[in-house]
Amino acid sequence: MSLLSSLSASDPAVGQWLAATGRSTAALQELVQRRPGCGLSRALVVLADSEALDDATLRSELLLAHRDATRAGAGAREQSLVYAIYLFTHRHYRATADHLIVHFAQFPADVFAGSMLSAFALAGPLDYREHGHTLAEQQYALAGAESWPWASWLAGARAEQGRPDDAWALAEHALALNPRSGPAVHARAHAEHEHGTGPACAAYIDTWLAADPHATQRRHLQWHAALQSIAAGDFADARRRADTELHHGDVGMRSATNWRLLLAGQAPARTADLDHIHRLLAEPGGWAEVFHTFQLALGLAVAADTDALQALARRAASDARPDYADVLAPVAQALAHITAGRAGPAVDLLAALGDRSERIGGVRVEREIIQDTLARALIDAGQPQRAAHLLHHRTTARRNHTYENLLLAPQDPTARPAGRRRVRPDGVMPAQPRVTAPNTNTA
C-alpha cells in the first residue's frame, strides 16, 4: 500500500487542513513527521503556507516533494497532486485548472484536488469559472452526500451561481457532518450576504469563531461580518471589525470595506497606507491578477488619489490582456472621475460595462462593489430612477438593506474626500514588468 493510499480526509491532520482550523498548519507539520518521505504531505504544507513563503523556499520545498513523489511506490495520484500544487502555488491558475480536469477524470472526488478548485475562478475566462462549478457538482455526486468537504465546496459554488438557498442548505449539511468546516461557514456567509441577514450573520460568525479563535479564515469571515454590519447600518461595528481584525497587509478587504462606507456617506475605518499601495502596484505581483490590481485601485479610491487612478487606468488600457484593457481600465477611470467629483462620466463608463464586470475576477460579493459605485454615481448625476432600478433586486430580496438605501440617498458631494491628485515621486506609474511565471505571494 502506498503512503498516499492511506492518506485521506479521515486522517485527523488532513481533516484539520481541509476544515481550515486554527491547527491546520501545525497538524500538517505533524503529518510530515509521521510520514517522512511522503511527497504529498510535504506539498500540502507548502500549499497551506504558500503565501508566507519566499520564492526560493517555495521552489526548494516543492522540488523535494516532487522527488519524494516520484520514488517507487508513491503512485501516479500523488505525483499528479504534487504537480497540481506546484502549478497552483506558482499562480499558474489556468494550467492548474486544465490539470485538475484530467486529474478528476483519473481520480474522482479526490478531496486533495478539490482544495484547489478556486483555480477555475482565478483562471480568467468565465467558462473556466462555470466549468469549476460543474465539476464541484459532479464530484460531490461521486463522493456521496456524507462527504463534508465536497458538500462545503458545492455550497460555495451554489453561492457563486446566485443560488443562496441551495448554498445555505448545503453549508448546513456540511456543518452537520463537521461543525468545524471553515469552507462551509464561508459558503454560508456568502448566502447570508445575498439574504442580507445583518446582525444574525455577524453573531453567527462570532459564535463559530469563539470555538476556534485562530481559524485560518478568521479575518475573511470577520470581513463578511463587517459587510453585514454595514448592511444593517451598524457602521461603528463595521469599523471596529476592520480595525481590530484586518492587519496592515489586508489592503483588499480593508479598502473594500472603506469604499463601501464612503459610498454610503459614512466615515471609513483606518485606511490602508497609500505608499504601501503604490509599492504593491510597482511590484510584478500587483499586476499579475486583474482582481488583485482592482483591489489596489479601490485602495487608491479610498485615498482619493485621482492622479494615481488615472495612471492606473492608462496602464491597464495599454495592457495586452483583455480583462485589464476592457474591464479594469474603465473601472479605474470611473473611480478617478468619482474621486474628482465627476459623476456623469463615471456613470457612462460603468453602465457601459454591463456583464463584462464579471471579468474583474473575485466572487459575487466582491464584484458587487462595482454596482454599488454605479448606483452612487447615478444618484450624484441626478438619475435616481436608474439607480433604484439597478438595486431593486437587492432592496427587495435582502432583509437588511440600510446600505442600499443610503446608496440611493442624495448626499452632499463635498462630504466625501476630494481627489488628492497624488503621484509617485517620478510623476508616473512604473512601467509594467514582464511576468512570465508569477509566483508572488501578495494577498
Side-chain angles (χ1 to χ4, degrees):
M1 179 179 294
S2 71
L3 287 169
L4 179 61
S5 63
S6 58
L7 192 58
S8 68
S10 61
D11 186 291
V14 175
Q16 294 270 1
W17 165 67
L18 289 171
T21 72
R23 285 206 73 255
S24 58
T25 300
L28 288 181
Q29 294 284 1
E30 294 166 4
L31 179 65
V32 171
Q33 297 299 317
R34 285 193 285 115
R35 296 178 180 276
C38 177
L40 179 60
S41 298
R42 182 184 291 274
L44 291 179
V45 172
V46 175
L47 178 60
D49 206 31
S50 60
E51 291 186 356
L53 299 177
D54 59 66
D55 293 349
T57 303
L58 182 71
R59 177 176 173 79
S60 63
E61 287 298 305
L62 287 174
L63 285 174
L64 289 172
H66 180 263
R67 179 204 64 189
D68 291 341
T70 54
R71 287 177 174 172
R77 186 180 175 211
E78 178 172 354
Q79 294 172 26
S80 177
L81 285 167
V82 171
Y83 182 59
I85 291 170
Y86 174 86
L87 293 173
F88 188 84
T89 55
H90 282 76
R91 302 196 175 197
H92 297 307
Y93 295 123
R94 193 177 303 191
T96 306
D98 291 339
H99 179 74
L100 289 178
I101 292 172
V102 177
H103 182 90
F104 282 125
Q106 296 177 301
F107 310 105
D110 189 335
V111 293
F112 297 96
S115 69
M116 292 177 277
L117 277 175
S118 60
F120 288 89
L122 295 166
L126 296 183
D127 56 347
Y128 270 84
R129 187 187 306 166
E130 293 165 0
H131 191 71
H133 297 159
T134 300
L135 266 177
E137 182 174 10
Q138 292 172 344
Q139 301 305 307
Y140 175 61
L142 291 169
E146 296 305 301
S147 174
W148 64 264
W150 280 109
S152 302
W153 295 325
L154 182 56
R158 291 292 187 246
E160 279 303 284
Q161 290 173 320
R163 298 167 59 176
D165 291 338
D166 293 339
W168 195 311
L170 277 163
E172 288 297 285
H173 173 64
L175 288 165
L177 295 170
N178 182 359
R180 301 316 307 165
S181 172
V185 170
H186 186 202
R188 174 173 159 163
H190 279 252
E192 295 211 44
H193 182 85
E194 297 296 332
H195 285 303
T197 55
C201 175
Y204 176 80
I205 287 173
D206 286 341
T207 300
W208 189 83
L209 285 173
D212 186 6
H214 302 292
T216 303
Q217 294 178 312
R218 179 187 179 91
R219 294 200 304 271
H220 191 72
L221 290 174
Q222 288 285 6
W223 177 73
H224 275 282
L227 294 193
Q228 285 308 292
S229 292
I230 291 174
D234 191 347
F235 304 113
D237 184 68
R239 287 189 288 266
R240 177 187 65 81
R241 291 179 189 272
D243 286 342
T244 59
E245 297 289 343
L246 303 182
H247 64 48
H248 175 75
D250 291 327
V251 174
M253 289 188 289
R254 184 176 294 281
S255 299
T257 303
N258 281 329
W259 187 239
R260 284 174 169 87
L261 287 166
L262 289 169
L263 290 176
Q266 305 300 312
R270 186 169 59 250
T271 59
D273 180 70
L274 186 56
D275 289 332
H276 178 57
I277 296 173
H278 280 301
R279 285 194 297 272
L280 291 175
L281 283 167
E283 297 171 356
W287 289 81
E289 300 167 36
V290 67
F291 180 68
H292 177 53
T293 316
F294 167 64
Q295 289 182 306
L296 297 178
L298 287 179
L300 296 176
V302 170
D305 195 343
T306 305
D307 276 2
L309 281 166
Q310 290 175 330
L312 190 154
R314 289 193 297 270
R315 178 172 167 181
S318 64
D319 198 295
R321 293 166 291 183
D323 291 344
Y324 281 80
D326 301 339
V327 184
L328 178 62
V331 169
Q333 186 59 57
L335 291 172
H337 283 312
I338 288 174
T339 60
R342 300 187 295 263
V347 166
D348 294 339
L349 286 166
L350 295 178
L353 275 179
D355 292 341
R356 281 187 296 148
S357 63
E358 291 194 15
R359 289 164 47 192
I360 205 74
V363 293
R364 287 171 65 93
V365 61
E366 293 167 324
R367 294 190 298 271
E368 189 177 83
I369 203 167
I370 298 176
Q371 187 179 67
D372 302 347
T373 305
L374 174 56
R376 168 48 53 201
L378 284 165
I379 292 295
D380 290 349
Q383 302 181 54
Q385 290 184 330
R386 285 183 66 187
H389 177 72
L390 181 70
L391 299 187
H392 177 73
H393 69 290
R394 287 160 57 173
T395 55
T396 55
R398 294 182 179 179
R399 191 180 314 160
N400 288 274
H401 49 79
T402 299
Y403 171 60
E404 283 80 6
N405 290 343
L406 287 172
L407 289 178
L408 298 175
Q411 293 177 13
D412 178 4
T414 62
R416 293 194 298 278
R420 299 182 186 179
R421 314 195 71 77
R422 169 84 174 270
V423 295
R424 290 178 57 80
D426 57 6
V428 295
M429 296 294 288
Q432 180 179 337
R434 184 181 299 276
V435 182
T436 56
N439 59 1
T440 56
N441 295 317
T442 306

